[in-house]
């Protein structure tokens, strides 16, 4: 009986030690704060590879690929290779939340990039902030995005700034305009800011209408906008819908100034000659003579045989910012946050040299540039 008790006791001690080791391992794994023992540092990407916004994911991938080629050729982050773990969200808020949960639970991921649309990113923000994983929404212009918490950051110019500048450029060409905008949270907010700024600058909106993102025939709305006799037509949306809008505007006989679409190869290709003279907000032009930009464009052309646009630049810059943050603070989740807070000279193709405002978690004082479509390429107008 004594031997049986002794054996049972020894078994309980062994099990207890094993359980304690298991718990310690789980605690360590969930912490995500120590340097990875592997030779690779990972960033998670939540973005569209399929669905209506897949083109933006394709543009991101090009920017990411060029940046990673350069970063890893230069030794990565302190000698560790940098790679991405990408989840296809279709930029759908219903998909970004489980992706966020997956990324937070993956200890190898030290920061997240995305999502494409602000609503998709905002839906996932609470998960990233609770999990203390930096969410770098590098295309998120919605004013409220970075208000989610200390771990939500964006280099994107905000909608209010975009639309104030948009209204300024419109006012130089027209005093009466018709406006169409996407019937989404982003589109409604864009219109609210444009409407406010247009009024301040003496521009009258003679007609306005929301448009459905997945519609293919906008002519009934455009005819009403045309018949209001505007001096210019303003579109607040994305590239694919912008291309349809400007082509159908020309189809219904409107030949006036168009403001809309985006600086993407897809918009230029789909819109064709109908968009000649179109004016857009942008952060980048391949015609820039800055030596740093010239070098970037040369390398991008060599790799992809096409000129880069805004969304290639957004992605390229985003990777470089997070890498620099990790080099400064350490290749950990806390290290990336520390770097974003402390580095004063992030250097982007689109934004130039900048630091983050610690209250808004966005760059200080950055303004968009006015671009005009000439002979199949967006070039600066020269206006400030």
């Amino acid at each position: 009986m004594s031997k049986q008790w002794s054996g049972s006791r020894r078994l309980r001690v062994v099990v207890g030690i094993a359980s304690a080791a298991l718990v310690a391992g789980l605690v360590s794994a969930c912490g995500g704060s120590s340097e990875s023992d592997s030779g690779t540092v990972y960033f998670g990407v939540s973005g569209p590879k399929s669905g209506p916004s897949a083109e933006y994911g394709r543009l991101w991938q090009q920017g990411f690929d060029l940046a990673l080629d350069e970063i890893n050729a230069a030794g990565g982050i302190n000698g560790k290779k940098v790679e991405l773990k990408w989840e296809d969200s279709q930029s759908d808020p219903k998909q970004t939340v489980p992706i966020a949960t997956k990324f937070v639970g993956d200890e190898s991921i030290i920061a997240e990039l995305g999502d494409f649309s602000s609503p998709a990113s905002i839906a996932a923000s609470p998960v990233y902030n609770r999990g203390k994983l930096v969410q770098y929404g590098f295309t998120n212009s919605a004013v409220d995005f970075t208000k989610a918490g200390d771990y939500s950051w964006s280099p994107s110019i905000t909608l209010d700034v975009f639309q104030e500048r948009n209204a300024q450029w419109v006012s130089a060409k027209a005093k009466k305009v018709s406006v169409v905008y996407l019937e989404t949270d982003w589109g409604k907010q864009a219109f609210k800011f444009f409407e406010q700024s247009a009024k301040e600058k003496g521009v009258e909106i003679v007609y306005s209408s929301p448009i459905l993102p997945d519609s293919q025939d906008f002519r009934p709305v455009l005819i009403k906008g045309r018949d209001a006799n505007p001096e210019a037509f303003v579109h607040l949306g994305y590239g694919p819908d912008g291309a349809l809008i400007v082509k159908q505007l020309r189809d219904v006989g409107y030949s006036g100034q168009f403001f809309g679409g985006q600086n993407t190869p897809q918009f230029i290709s789909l819109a064709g000659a109908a968009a000649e003279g179109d004016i857009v907000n942008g952060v980048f032009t391949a015609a820039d003579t800055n030596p740093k930009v010239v070098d970037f464009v040369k390398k991008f052309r060599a790799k992809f045989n096409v000129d880069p646009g805004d969304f290639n630049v957004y992605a390229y810059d985003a990777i470089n910012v997070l890498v620099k943050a990790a080099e400064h603070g350490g290749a950990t989740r806390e290290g990336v946050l520390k770097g974003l807070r402390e580095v004063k000279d992030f250097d982007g193709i689109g934004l130039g040299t900048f630091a983050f405002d610690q209250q808004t978690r966005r760059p200080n004082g950055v303004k968009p540039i006015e671009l005009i479509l000439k002979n199949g390429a967006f070039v600066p107008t020269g206006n400030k």
Side-chain angles (χ1 to χ4, degrees):
M1 189 173 178
S2 175
K3 289 182 179 179
Q4 185 180 18
W5 179 88
S6 178
S8 175
R9 183 183 181 192
R10 283 197 301 271
L11 178 61
R12 287 198 300 270
V13 170
V14 170
V15 170
I17 292 171
S19 298
L22 177 60
V23 170
L26 288 173
V27 170
S28 175
C30 291
S33 61
S34 61
E35 290 276 359
S36 172
D37 292 331
S38 74
T40 305
V41 174
Y42 291 98
F43 296 119
V45 180
S46 174
K49 281 201 164 184
S50 62
S53 299
E55 173 67 7
Y56 296 97
R58 186 185 72 82
L59 298 175
W60 282 11
Q61 187 71 67
Q62 290 176 330
F64 289 154
D65 285 349
L66 181 58
L68 290 174
D69 284 351
E70 297 170 0
I71 290 163
N72 288 324
I77 298 176
N78 302 325
K80 293 187 176 184
K81 186 178 181 182
V82 180
E83 292 186 1
L84 304 178
K85 292 187 177 183
W86 188 311
E87 292 288 333
D88 179 11
S89 67
Q90 297 188 346
S91 206
D92 179 353
K94 290 189 284 296
Q95 298 191 49
T96 56
V97 175
I99 290 171
T101 301
K102 181 175 183 178
F103 284 166
V104 166
D106 184 343
E107 67 177 78
S108 70
I109 293 175
I110 64 169
E112 182 268 347
L113 295 131
D115 206 278
F116 165 64
S117 74
S118 294
S121 292
I122 288 170
S125 292
V127 179
Y128 290 115
N129 278 275
R130 284 196 302 269
K132 297 184 177 180
L133 177 65
V134 164
Q135 177 190 29
Y136 197 66
F138 61 97
T139 60
N140 296 153
S141 59
V143 175
D144 289 341
F145 167 67
T146 59
K147 295 178 181 178
D150 292 344
Y151 291 83
S152 294
W153 296 71
S154 178
S156 179
I157 299 169
T158 52
L159 268 178
D160 54 343
V161 175
F162 264 123
Q163 295 311 324
E164 183 279 328
R165 199 48 59 103
N166 194 21
Q168 177 179 318
W169 294 326
V170 168
S171 69
K173 297 278 187 181
K175 295 303 178 185
K176 295 196 303 180
V177 298
S178 289
V179 183
V180 292
Y181 57 94
L182 288 178
E183 194 167 22
T184 63
D185 290 342
W186 178 92
K188 292 171 185 175
Q189 191 176 71
F191 177 67
K192 181 190 77 172
F193 287 125
F194 177 80
E195 184 179 37
Q196 176 182 319
S197 292
K199 183 177 181 180
E200 292 170 355
K201 298 176 191 306
V203 176
E204 180 187 1
I205 298 175
V206 294
Y207 176 80
S208 65
S209 176
I211 54 173
L212 295 173
D214 56 354
S215 178
Q216 295 297 306
D217 185 4
F218 300 106
R219 278 168 287 209
V221 168
L222 300 180
I223 288 170
K224 292 178 182 178
R226 176 203 66 190
D227 290 347
N229 296 316
E231 297 169 357
F233 219 103
V234 179
H235 160 256
L236 306 176
Y238 298 145
D241 45 284
L244 285 173
I245 290 287
V246 70
K247 289 180 76 172
Q248 291 174 16
L249 264 178
R250 304 314 183 202
D251 288 344
V252 300
Y254 184 78
S255 59
Q257 178 65 52
F258 180 69
F259 291 83
Q262 287 179 318
N263 179 15
T264 66
Q266 184 189 40
F267 171 76
I268 294 170
S269 174
L270 291 176
E276 184 72 8
D278 174 32
I279 294 175
V280 299
N281 276 308
V283 298
F284 165 83
T285 169
D288 195 326
T289 57
N290 182 308
K292 179 179 66 175
V293 178
V294 170
D295 182 60
F296 167 76
V297 171
K298 180 180 178 181
K299 289 184 292 190
F300 193 93
R301 285 173 178 161
K303 187 172 179 67
F304 301 110
N305 198 33
V306 67
D307 278 349
D310 281 2
F311 289 87
N312 303 124
V313 170
Y314 290 143
Y316 178 89
D317 284 350
I319 289 283
N320 278 293
V321 164
L322 291 184
V323 165
K324 187 163 187 173
E327 287 174 338
H328 174 87
T332 65
R333 295 181 178 186
E334 290 81 0
V336 171
L337 183 66
K338 177 181 172 67
L340 291 173
R341 285 173 168 168
E342 295 181 358
V343 173
K344 304 303 180 187
D345 60 345
F346 290 112
D347 194 19
I349 298 297
L351 300 183
T353 302
F354 69 94
F356 283 96
D357 180 298
Q358 296 305 303
Q359 298 302 312
T360 65
R361 290 177 292 283
R362 292 188 187 269
N364 265 325
V366 178
K367 301 289 185 183
I369 55 176
E370 184 182 31
L371 303 174
I372 186 167
L373 188 60
K374 289 186 176 180
N375 301 317
F378 278 107
V379 297
T381 64
N383 295 329
K384 299 295 185 182

